[in-house]
Amino acid sequence: MLRPSAVFAAAFCLAVLPVAPASAVVDAPGELTMNGAQRTYFLHIPTGDRPNGLVINLHGAGMTGLGQASATNYNAVADRFGFAVVYPDGVDMSWADGRGASTPDRTGVDDVGFLAALADRIVRDYGIPPGRVFAAGMSAGAFMAERLACQRADVVAAVAAVAGTLGSGVPCGPSRPVSVLQVHGTADPVVPFNGGPMVGRGGPSDVVAAPVMADRWRGLNGCPGAPVAGDLPSAGDGTGVRLLTSGGCAAGSEVQLVEVDGGGHTWPGGATAPAAGLTTRAFDASGASAQFFADHGR
């Protein structure tokens, strides 16, 4: 029988994690020139000799890196794990995630290259092990995180995609296994849980269903057998959470699908957005993704 992932516990029990000092070595904006364009980001480095991992945290369409930091409260979680976390800014507040539904996509922005170059800079500057670079994202940021994993598996060891999957026409042939935490609300009014047509800030696109995307990663990672299912305790907020875990995959990788029954287009455990549907309190996407990353470096 597969061992249930530590994400199952981390989703609702962050109090057991070690607490890092409140002050940080670096908490500042930065710039990186990419193909002649000045790209911006916000970097958070926890105290300590050096970070033991890097999380690239990608905002949704219409947001900024700092907005993503606020909505997810990821700095506090990163401090507990000793992770650096960087919040890049997308061009026109969006990403070239391959769906063709954003300004950066339509104008040929190389966001895969930008994120790879950004990761390389931070890994080099702060002595972070290159096998401990991860990406998380919300909505358009989730689509971008998945595209990064598909095209640059040499850069990221694991990704967490919240409320986003991959455009139906976007190819995915990673060069090596990538652990994936797929989180999606079944009542998402923007990116449909069951895939198909959607209309976002940049326009219409067609997307892969969350369960299908998880199955695709299981196949790409050579995961054996059916996933193990488990339910989290209810928080009494009108949502339910089921985890489907596939372990024992190639190179120690793992794939998890987190189905938030009744959940909307939100970051579980994060800031509420009533117009986007329910935000579950039974699952903490920030804490769970950080634990998932800690467990799946190379």
Side-chain angles (χ1 to χ4, degrees), residues 19-20 33 70-74 79 84 101 136 144 149 159 163 190 196 218 235 267 285 288:
V19 177
T33 301
S70 176
T72 62
N73 194 32
Y74 218 94
D79 286 350
M144 190 65 233
V159 298
V190 180
R218 290 181 186 113
W267 184 275

Side-chain angles (χ1 to χ4, degrees), residues 15-111:
V16 303
L17 299 174
V19 177
S23 60
V25 174
V26 172
D27 208 353
E31 295 182 344
L32 175 66
T33 301
M34 185 73 188
N35 297 326
Q38 201 80 348
R39 301 298 299 269
T40 57
Y41 59 88
F42 195 86
L43 178 64
H44 175 79
I45 302 290
T47 55
D49 293 336
R50 69 174 187 178
N52 59 34
L54 169 65
V55 178
I56 306 168
N57 197 338
L58 303 172
H59 64 75
M63 293 178 65
T64 64
L66 278 176
Q68 178 73 353
S70 176
T72 62
N73 194 32
Y74 218 94
N75 287 356
V77 173
D79 286 350
R80 294 186 180 106
F81 285 86
F83 290 159
V85 55
V86 63
Y87 305 92
D89 294 312
V91 172
D92 190 39
M93 298 185 177
S94 196
W95 303 103
D97 59 46
R99 289 177 294 144
S102 68
T103 295
D105 245 347
R106 292 191 290 267
T107 57
V109 172
D110 181 11
D111 273 331

